[in-house]
């Protein structure tokens, strides 16, 4: 099986994907085929072997995780997946059960295709996966959710209380806002400008921007202050807390229990709680995933997808031909798409060339821009301009190729693209991929390696974005106003400033110039 290992503490580059023996469950354990895991702040500390700003805590972490090097070389704490086998003393779970949980704190090991955990504590907290959640969402629930539950329990009865959640856009913060709202508190959430719309959508009554508001001068005090990110300055805390009020912080010891996991399950099924997923990385992009979380800017949770890796392993012989098979449309999805209309053979050929180039990129772990010759790309644009790209499959093939174009444009390594070709590239992304998002055809989206396709519903904007994570860029389109942007992938365009910075061309102007009819 594939697993992400680290032999020394350090930066994300210490992580590498290796082959390991599939584990065998002990009598009290279940063997889980892991579908998803996460990169939490805690996973980052384990990888670094250091706790931010505290030698004492670093010492404690090293005592448990290994003094000089990691004692347990497979990283990863949270997981979701399906029980594949059970030990003979297991009574609670059965093969085929969808489960989620943690390997509890410092035990680690969930960045692997298979994982053994005891059916009950100690050494693993596991429960049935809430049916409302995808595997990716379920993997992101335990650590942040249980920590938020613990903090709220410490805060006492919240009904009718005023609660301030500081760091509301992180994993713990997004859960804390939802839980405090559910418990009847009047919630004031604090985050940066970029995350205000997200936090408001979680139910906060009021959202304050910490980059604009001096909390020491707010002139209001709260019954409870929750520091969900561990960065609230003491001066602000003192100014915000009413006399006799409660202050709780993530910078304290919290525990994990099966009861908490079951409570989270219940809250999710009742529709009270939902994980916020920022990004999903395939297992082989684990270094990029850790790089991103190291930035300290993640919104909610970052997920690691292990199913793609599993598929690769299962079809190792097929791997070399896999993309080719997809290209000629042999999967059931593609058969369905093909039956709608014949594909464009020229585009199919170009697509196959591009697949081969990407394979080279993947093998060498570099993106060699020179491999993407301009002529090759221009032919795709010509096909688009001639309206020869008609079927959803054609659109996807062209999208595959044009993701690079967009990325290079954004990076400034490609400057010669004409506005009409840019628009066509954009149109393609927003129609072909948009269709698939609407149909929730995630299998096809994944097959085509479009790393991130999301529809974000902000107060005023419905944004469709497609991006290619290796380049960190995305197209964004506002379906209501017709505006469009080419922006770094972590941009939400929730602020006027960001929208101004990354806007690339007014769609209406381009439509008029190139006589393209609106959808
Ligand atoms: N006690 C426990 O068992 C436990 C469990 C889980 C987590 N934790 C700890 O809790 C902390 C939060 O973890 P997490 O995973 O929930 O958070 P996280 O997702 O890593 O937090 C990142 C978020 O915090 C925001 N942020 C960054 N600097 C900020 C600041 N100065 N003021 C306000 N917000 C800021 C960021 O957005 P902007 O930069 O845009 O503001 C980002 O959305 C970590 O230190 C983690 O180790 C403790």
């Amino acid at each position: 099986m594939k697993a992400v290992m680290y032999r020394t503490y350090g930066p994300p580059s210490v992580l590498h994907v290796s082959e390991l023996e599939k584990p065998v469950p002990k009598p009290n354990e279940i063997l889980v085929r892991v579908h998803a895991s996460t990169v939490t702040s805690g996973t980052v500390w384990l990888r670094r072997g250091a706790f931010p700003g505290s030698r004492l805590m670093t010492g404690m972490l090293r005592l448990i995780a290994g003094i000089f090097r990691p004692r347990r070389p497979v990283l990863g704490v949270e997981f979701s997946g399906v029980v594949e086998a059970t030990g003979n003393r297991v009574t609670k779970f059965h093969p085929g059960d969808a489960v989620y949980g943690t390997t509890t704190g410092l035990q680690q090991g969930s960045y692997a295709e298979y994982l053994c955990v005891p059916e009950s504590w100690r050494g693993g907290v596991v429960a049935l996966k809430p049916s409302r959640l995808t595997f990716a969402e379920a993997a992101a629930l335990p650590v942040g959710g249980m920590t938020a539950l613990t903090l709220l329990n410490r805060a006492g009865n919240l009904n009718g209380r005023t609660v301030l959640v500081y760091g509301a856009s992180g994993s713990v913060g997004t859960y804390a806002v939802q839980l405090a709202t559910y418990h009847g508190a009047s919630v004031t959430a604090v985050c940066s400008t970029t995350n205000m719309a997200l936090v408001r959508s979680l139910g906060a009554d009021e959202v304050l921007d910490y980059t604009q508001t001096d909390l020491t001068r707010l002139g209001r005090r709260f019954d409870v202050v929750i520091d969900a990110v561990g960065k609230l300055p003491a001066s602000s805390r003192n100014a915000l807390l009413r006399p006799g009020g409660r202050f709780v912080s993530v910078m304290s010891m919290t525990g994990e229990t099966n009861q908490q996991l079951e409570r989270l399950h219940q809250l999710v099924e009742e529709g009270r709680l939902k994980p916020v997923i920022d990004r999903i990385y395939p297992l082989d992009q684990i270094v990029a995933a850790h790089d991103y979380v190291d930035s300290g800017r993640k919104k909610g949770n970052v997920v690691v997808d292990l199913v793609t890796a599993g598929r690769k392993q299962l079809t190792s012989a097929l791997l070399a031909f896999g993309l080719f098979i997809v290209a000629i449309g042999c999967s059931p999805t593609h058969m369905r798409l093909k039956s709608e209309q014949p594909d464009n053979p020229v585009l199919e050929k170009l697509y196959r060339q591009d697949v081969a180039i990407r394979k080279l990129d993947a093998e060498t772990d570099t993106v060699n821009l020179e491999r993407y010759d301009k002529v090759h790309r221009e032919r795709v644009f010509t096909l688009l301009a001639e309206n020869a790209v008609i079927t959803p499959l054609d659109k996807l093939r062209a999208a595959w190729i044009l993701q690079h174009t967009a990325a290079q444009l954004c990076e400034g390594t490609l400057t010669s693209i004409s506005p009409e070709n840019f628009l066509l590239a954009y149109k393609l992304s927003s129609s072909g991929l948009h269709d698939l998002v609407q149909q929730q055809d995630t299998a096809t989206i994944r097959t085509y390696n479009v790393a991130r396709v999301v529809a974000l519903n902000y107060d005023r904007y419905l944004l469709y974005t497609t991006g290619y994570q290796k380049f960190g860029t995305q197209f964004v389109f506002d379906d209501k106003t017709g505006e469009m942007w080419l922006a770094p992938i972590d941009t939400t365009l929730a602020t006027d400033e960001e929208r101004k910075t990354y806007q690339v061309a007014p769609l209406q102007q381009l439509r008029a110039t190139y006589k393209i009819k609106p959808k």
Side-chain angles (χ1 to χ4, degrees):
M1 66 165 186
K2 287 205 166 12
V4 172
M5 304 185 66
Y6 67 135
R7 299 279 179 200
T8 53
Y9 295 120
S13 56
V14 298
L15 302 174
H16 57 275
V17 180
S18 300
E19 281 293 332
L20 286 182
E21 287 289 309
K22 186 173 164 182
V24 177
K26 294 184 190 134
N28 66 331
E29 287 181 342
I30 57 174
L31 172 70
V32 178
R33 169 66 178 97
V34 180
H35 281 230
S37 184
T38 57
V39 186
T40 64
S41 314
T43 332
V44 163
W45 303 342
L46 284 166
R47 191 207 69 226
R48 290 185 189 147
F51 189 96
S54 168
R55 284 194 185 164
L56 178 68
M57 293 296 284
T58 298
M60 283 170 64
L61 184 146
R62 292 263 180 143
L63 271 178
I64 301 166
I67 304 282
F68 300 111
R69 66 184 68 86
R71 194 171 289 136
R72 291 177 173 267
V74 180
L75 195 59
V77 175
E78 292 178 296
F79 66 89
S80 65
V82 174
V83 177
E84 188 162 293
T86 56
N88 57 17
R89 293 215 313 268
V90 170
T91 54
K92 228 167 111 187
F93 300 101
H94 305 282
D97 283 347
V99 292
Y100 80 121
T102 76
T103 55
T104 60
L106 305 174
Q107 295 283 324
Q108 309 179 61
S110 68
Y111 286 176
E113 288 177 310
Y114 292 90
L115 172 73
C116 285
V117 281
E119 72 168 333
S120 57
W121 170 267
R122 297 185 67 94
V125 175
V126 59
L128 289 175
K129 177 181 90 63
S131 58
R132 273 175 174 244
L133 298 186
T134 63
F135 282 104
E137 289 170 328
L141 183 57
V143 172
M146 286 195 277
T147 306
L149 269 184
T150 305
L151 296 183
L152 262 69
N153 281 344
R154 282 183 194 154
N157 182 3
L158 297 183
N159 196 13
R161 299 280 178 91
T162 52
V163 173
L164 181 132
V165 179
Y166 186 80
S169 56
S171 174
V172 179
T174 49
Y175 290 121
V177 169
Q178 294 178 74
L179 289 171
T181 306
Y182 166 62
H183 285 294
S186 164
V187 177
T188 298
V190 185
C191 61
S192 70
T193 323
T194 322
N195 296 321
M196 290 178 80
L198 165 73
V199 170
R200 195 171 292 118
S201 75
L202 300 174
D205 298 283
E206 179 189 25
V207 183
L208 301 177
D209 180 349
Y210 72 80
T211 67
Q212 304 292 326
T213 312
D214 180 353
L215 295 175
T216 60
R217 289 162 184 253
L218 195 63
R220 271 189 288 143
R221 289 172 182 265
F222 296 83
D223 298 322
V224 174
V225 173
I226 300 174
D227 183 359
V229 72
K231 293 183 179 173
L232 181 66
S235 55
S236 302
R237 182 184 73 198
N238 296 338
L240 291 167
L241 203 59
R242 73 157 171 75
R246 291 241 171 116
F247 173 72
V248 290
S249 167
V250 282
M251 290 302 160
S252 58
M253 293 297 281
T254 57
E256 297 181 347
T257 65
N258 268 322
Q259 288 74 14
Q260 283 181 322
L261 215 51
E262 277 153 17
R263 177 73 184 130
L264 291 174
H265 181 127
Q266 193 187 359
L267 288 164
V268 167
E269 297 295 27
E270 287 169 6
R272 312 282 184 191
L273 198 63
K274 190 155 169 61
V276 171
I277 305 298
D278 183 356
R279 295 181 179 190
I280 302 178
Y281 290 84
L283 188 72
D284 56 8
Q285 287 185 22
I286 192 71
V287 174
H290 271 252
D291 268 332
Y292 178 56
V293 176
D294 269 10
S295 74
R297 301 265 96 92
K298 81 173 157 70
K299 307 164 212 327
N301 303 279
V302 169
V303 171
V304 181
D305 172 6
L306 286 103
V307 175
T308 318
R311 241 183 245 137
K312 274 186 195 162
Q313 190 198 24
L314 269 176
T315 56
S316 57
L318 217 73
L319 182 62
F321 298 102
L323 291 168
F324 171 74
I325 286 164
V326 167
I328 60 171
C330 285
S331 78
T333 308
H334 303 146
M335 291 300 273
R336 179 171 55 72
L337 294 173
K338 268 174 97 73
S339 68
E340 290 170 8
Q341 205 147 10
D343 297 322
N344 185 305
V346 180
L347 190 69
E348 198 167 305
K349 192 174 157 208
L350 290 171
Y351 167 76
R352 279 209 290 271
Q353 280 175 10
D354 217 70
V355 167
I357 292 171
R358 284 209 181 185
K359 197 157 166 277
L360 271 174
D361 281 350
E363 277 167 12
T364 54
D365 201 27
T366 56
V367 177
N368 184 344
L369 297 178
E370 284 168 16
R371 288 177 187 143
Y372 298 91
D373 71 283
K374 192 165 170 290
V375 177
H376 169 91
R377 237 184 333 244
E378 285 300 326
R379 274 186 292 168
V380 180
F381 285 123
T382 312
L383 287 168
L384 286 164
E386 288 170 354
N387 272 338
V389 176
I390 301 162
T391 68
L393 189 56
D394 280 342
K395 287 176 181 174
L396 275 169
R397 287 177 178 155
W400 170 290
I401 296 166
L402 295 171
Q403 288 292 334
H404 290 267
T405 310
Q408 290 166 32
L409 194 66
C410 196
E411 283 182 331
T413 48
L414 177 79
T415 49
S416 60
I417 187 170
S418 63
E420 68 269 35
N421 280 349
F422 174 78
L423 177 63
L424 287 166
Y426 174 69
K427 266 169 63 80
L428 178 122
S429 298
S430 69
S431 57
L433 294 172
H434 171 234
D435 291 348
L436 292 167
V437 174
Q438 294 297 305
Q439 292 159 16
Q440 302 199 338
D441 190 349
T442 46
T444 308
I445 290 167
R446 201 177 279 148
T447 304
Y448 281 84
N449 195 20
V450 176
R452 183 173 186 252
V453 182
V454 284
L456 301 171
N457 199 348
Y458 290 106
D459 285 354
R460 288 178 295 154
Y461 300 91
L462 183 61
L463 306 175
Y464 297 113
T465 104
T466 76
Y468 182 39
Q469 281 181 343
K470 199 151 194 167
F471 292 102
T473 54
Q474 60 180 342
F475 283 119
V476 183
F477 177 61
D478 186 330
D479 217 11
K480 289 180 193 150
T481 64
E483 292 165 289
M484 58 184 180
W485 300 265
L486 191 55
I489 202 157
D490 56 359
T491 313
T492 59
L493 298 169
T495 67
D496 289 337
E497 193 191 336
E498 277 184 349
R499 282 193 289 273
K500 202 168 146 202
T501 308
Y502 298 111
Q503 186 159 20
V504 285
L507 187 63
Q508 267 149 20
Q509 183 193 322
L510 285 168
R511 273 183 184 147
T513 311
Y514 301 106
K515 300 189 175 52
I516 291 166
K517 287 191 189 135
K519 275 195 291 183

